[in-house]
Amino acid sequence: MDTEFWKPLLAILIENARRILEGRFGVDRAEASFFEVINLLREKNNLKSFFLVLVVETMEKRDEWGLDEGSVPREFIELVAHQFRWTELRELCDVRIQKMYGGDKGRAVNDISWHVPLAFDDNWPDREFYRHYSTIW
């Protein structure tokens, strides 16, 4: 089936994760929804460009936490960066730093544009928040 068929499912799954986080239930409760999206993106790799459009729309906002309706949660963007290492995500962060901070990375320390590139590292510090990566479970 074509990309258009799968876009609504991707949007629903992202919205489910966003609502879990908006309800302050935490990443541990949103993790299953996050990995449903990861699995869909892996299965239907033609959805990548649509997902990136959603990320662009989220990153264009002043508050990039992604908890308002129609946004991609910041934690999920970081997870996607860790899982897929898409260079486009790094580029979007550079664009955000330029637009929001005049290119000054030092001012972006608490911003998504600072955190997403950290997720490209195999030893990404936020891995500890995901049961998926745990050796204990």
Side-chain angles (χ1 to χ4, degrees):
M1 294 192 184
D2 69 346
T3 305
E4 293 303 313
F5 179 82
W6 296 104
K7 282 181 180 180
L9 178 59
L10 181 66
I12 289 167
L13 292 171
I14 292 170
E15 180 63 13
N16 287 345
R18 186 203 64 78
R19 291 182 66 198
I20 292 167
L21 293 175
E22 180 186 43
R24 300 182 189 265
F25 293 107
V27 169
D28 58 326
R29 296 296 180 180
E31 182 173 356
S33 294
F34 284 175
F35 278 96
E36 280 295 315
V37 179
I38 295 286
N39 291 336
L40 183 61
L41 288 170
R42 198 170 267 129
E43 181 184 335
K44 307 292 181 193
N45 59 10
N46 54 346
L47 288 172
K48 175 182 176 181
S49 59
F50 176 65
F51 178 79
L52 290 172
V53 166
L54 298 176
V55 171
V56 167
E57 291 171 358
T58 299
M59 285 191 166
E60 287 179 343
K61 300 174 182 174
R62 174 65 55 190
D63 176 15
E64 85 302 342
W65 278 94
L67 294 182
D68 54 324
E69 192 172 332
S71 292
V72 181
R74 173 180 175 161
E75 293 90 345
F76 183 61
I77 296 170
E78 291 176 35
L79 181 62
V80 168
H82 188 69
Q83 283 285 307
F84 294 110
R85 319 284 168 103
W86 292 336
T87 58
E88 294 92 339
L89 292 172
R90 278 189 197 266
E91 293 164 2
L92 292 174
C93 289
D94 290 341
V95 168
R96 180 172 169 82
I97 289 171
Q98 189 61 43
K99 283 183 178 178
M100 299 291 182
Y101 303 99
D104 185 352
K105 288 185 179 185
R107 290 179 44 217
V109 172
N110 292 318
D111 192 83
I112 190 171
S113 56
W114 176 269
H115 289 275
V116 168
L118 297 176
F120 279 74
D121 192 310
D122 288 338
N123 297 315
W124 175 44
D126 287 356
R127 282 176 65 99
E128 70 183 56
F129 298 115
Y130 294 93
R131 185 181 300 200
H132 177 85
Y133 299 118
S134 176
T135 57
I136 297 170
W137 301 98

